[in-house]
Amino acid sequence: MSPPLVLEVPGTLAAVDQAMEAVRIYVAAERPGARDYELCLVLREALINAVCHGGGEPTRLSLWVDGPSARVRVRDPGPGFDWRAALARLPGDRDEGGRGLWMMRQWAEDLAFNEEGNELHLCCRLASPAEEPGPGPERSAP
């Protein structure tokens, strides 16, 4: 396994975009041709949550490619949150927040928090082009 990508992401939304570009470059170098959509989707949500709730301080991102998957740790300096209650809730149609966790649960292979709720660990599969589903009969348009 190669060295991880480790970033200190400043507490701004613009910094999230810069971090995501660094993630794409790192994944492309570590697993050429891999599809990183799921990883980028859940990681962007995780970083946005950390930036918005971490008190404006830098968030630490660690990412490494482990075979067909990417493993991620995101830690913010904030006090954390009640992740158990948040995971038990489904976002309502009119809710303005709460969808990020729901999306992470849908797209990540694994998702875990530390006790305080200010550190997230997740794992996402990096699909190769050969693993992408084709337009088989079950996917045909009506």
Side-chain angles (χ1 to χ4, degrees):
M1 185 164 56
S2 58
L5 172 68
V6 179
L7 300 172
E8 292 290 328
V9 181
T12 67
L13 294 177
V16 170
D17 289 335
Q18 293 169 347
M20 293 308 302
E21 184 60 25
V23 165
R24 285 186 196 94
I25 291 167
Y26 174 81
V27 170
E30 292 298 313
R31 189 141 189 260
R35 303 281 191 239
D36 62 1
Y37 175 79
E38 291 87 355
L39 171 65
C40 290
L41 178 73
V42 299
L43 183 52
R44 178 176 293 282
E45 290 299 323
L47 288 173
I48 288 172
N49 283 346
V51 164
C52 289
H53 302 292
E57 296 297 319
T59 293
R60 186 171 182 90
L61 164 66
S62 302
L63 170 96
W64 56 100
V65 173
D66 185 10
S69 298
R71 299 194 178 278
V72 177
R73 181 174 51 234
V74 174
R75 182 176 180 89
D76 70 60
F81 73 112
D82 184 354
W83 55 269
R84 289 176 187 89
L87 288 175
R89 245 185 346 259
L90 286 176
D93 291 343
R94 297 180 185 260
D95 289 348
E96 292 183 15
R99 285 185 178 75
L101 271 179
W102 180 85
M103 289 168 52
M104 286 183 232
R105 289 179 58 191
Q106 301 305 307
W107 292 94
E109 289 182 314
D110 190 32
L111 173 77
F113 289 92
N114 69 351
E115 191 62 34
E116 294 82 17
N118 66 345
E119 183 173 294
L120 167 69
H121 295 251
L122 56 86
C123 179
C124 285
R125 183 160 181 75
L126 297 170
S128 67
E131 296 169 329
E132 292 294 315
E138 68 279 357
R139 296 186 186 275
S140 61

